[in-house]
Amino acid sequence: MKTTLIPLILAALLAPLPASAMDVIKGEILQGWVRPDGNRVAAIRMTMAPGWKTYWRAPGDMGIPPHFDWAGSTNLSAVAVEWPAPTVFREENLTTIGYKDQVVLPLVITTPQKGAPVRLQTTIDLGVCLDVCVPAQLHLDGIIDTDATRAEPAIAAALAQRPYSAQEAGVTKATCTIRFNNGDLELETAITLPDTGGPELVVIETGQPDLWISEADTTRHGGTLTSRVDVAHSTGGPIALNRSHIRMTVFGSKHAVDIRGCTPG
């Protein structure tokens, strides 16, 4: 895909949401529990109308990544969203990644005042899809004041659905090679790990939201999974990649694996 197509794709994705689709997604805050360190685990549950889906944090070549704005929250200094392993939706000439019908997104909340309630206020900009994909927005506001220390089942189940870590999956090596090809920047990763079940897909994230990443061309040779992507700046600016910030998620038919950082190839 040429980078000149990016504005056209975004314009199509950001078309006005049809009035009939305004109620296809609902959100609610789940209370969760208090961790031994005094911080909290909570969650956001999003429920979609039958057949509708929403996107994972890296949605694929033509998706709308979700964005969380926590402005207005109190007794909250940081929030980490823990993503359950999503589904890879393969259609003709298009691959997207996300969740269908319902998803619980666990939140690990760092609280400056231990033991005090948390006012959780967030605006979530995200995409929802049926036959077409359109933008939506959720506004959630709630008080988290539980003193429970036992895990809440729905949240615990979502945490258990996260991809395996590199260590858990038996990853022994992950390298990144950066090169230029006819003026375009290419990033190639090579991951040594046991087969996750074919066909395998690798999704590469740079940790920089202003960079566009193409869908990976992925092949396996024995114990090594190799992927190549094109990288472009959304505004045409310079590109600087930090290998320690590169995140690779392998999706196979058996399980997914989350690999953070790579060494020079």
Side-chain angles (χ1 to χ4, degrees), residues 211-223:
L211 294 185
W212 171 83
I213 307 291
S214 70
E215 183 178 336
D217 180 13
T218 301
T219 56
R220 176 178 280 277
H221 298 285

Side-chain angles (χ1 to χ4, degrees), residues 14-106:
L14 296 176
L17 184 65
S20 60
M22 291 299 292
D23 295 324
V24 299
I25 185 167
K26 303 290 185 183
E28 60 180 315
I29 295 171
L30 305 183
Q31 287 280 318
W33 63 90
V34 181
R35 302 201 317 179
D37 61 5
N39 294 317
R40 294 179 178 271
V41 177
I44 293 172
R45 178 159 55 200
M46 293 188 286
T47 304
M48 290 144 276
W52 285 80
K53 58 181 182 281
T54 192
Y55 289 112
W56 184 54
R57 65 168 191 265
D61 202 24
M62 292 182 63
I64 304 171
H67 177 264
F68 298 82
D69 184 350
W70 307 102
S73 299
T74 59
N75 194 25
L76 178 155
S77 58
V79 183
V81 180
E82 300 289 340
W83 298 87
T87 298
V88 177
F89 300 101
R90 300 179 187 273
E91 304 172 34
E92 186 176 358
N93 300 321
L94 178 66
T95 299
T96 57
I97 306 169
Y99 307 98
K100 192 173 183 179
D101 298 332
Q102 186 179 96
V103 61
V104 173
L105 297 179

Side-chain angles (χ1 to χ4, degrees), residues 56 58-61 86-90 94-98 189 191 193 195-204 214-220 225-229 248-259:
W56 184 54
D61 202 24
T87 298
V88 177
F89 300 101
R90 300 179 187 273
L94 178 66
T95 299
T96 57
I97 306 169
T189 65
I191 306 167
L193 80 166
D195 192 351
T196 63
E200 293 171 296
L201 172 70
V202 176
V203 174
I204 298 173
S214 70
E215 183 178 336
D217 180 13
T218 301
T219 56
R220 176 178 280 277
L225 195 62
T226 302
S227 295
R228 189 201 62 80
V229 296
M248 299 151 285
T249 307
V250 179
F251 293 99
S253 60
K254 295 187 292 187
H255 56 260
V257 184
D258 184 11
I259 303 146

Side-chain angles (χ1 to χ4, degrees), residues 118-250:
V118 172
R119 169 84 178 272
L120 187 65
Q121 193 171 61
T122 184
T123 298
I124 310 171
D125 292 294
L126 70 168
V128 289
C129 302
L130 187 58
D131 298 322
V132 296
C133 296
V134 289
Q137 191 174 77
L138 293 174
H139 300 280
L140 302 179
D141 189 351
I143 302 295
I144 300 175
D145 61 357
T146 180
D147 58 2
T149 56
R150 188 172 183 176
E152 197 277 332
I155 304 176
L159 287 169
Q161 292 167 8
R162 289 174 297 180
Y164 290 155
S165 68
Q167 181 177 5
E168 290 170 335
V171 175
T172 58
K173 187 177 182 181
T175 65
C176 294
T177 302
I178 301 168
R179 64 172 69 95
F180 284 91
N181 183 11
N182 295 324
D184 295 328
L185 190 148
E186 292 183 351
L187 173 64
E188 182 177 283
T189 65
I191 306 167
T192 304
L193 80 166
D195 192 351
T196 63
E200 293 171 296
L201 172 70
V202 176
V203 174
I204 298 173
E205 301 169 78
T206 64
Q208 301 177 62
D210 54 354
L211 294 185
W212 171 83
I213 307 291
S214 70
E215 183 178 336
D217 180 13
T218 301
T219 56
R220 176 178 280 277
H221 298 285
T224 300
L225 195 62
T226 302
S227 295
R228 189 201 62 80
V229 296
D230 297 322
V231 183
H233 198 286
S234 59
T235 62
I239 301 173
L241 295 179
N242 186 330
R243 286 183 174 85
S244 66
H245 294 167
I246 291 174
R247 188 172 188 176
M248 299 151 285
T249 307
V250 179

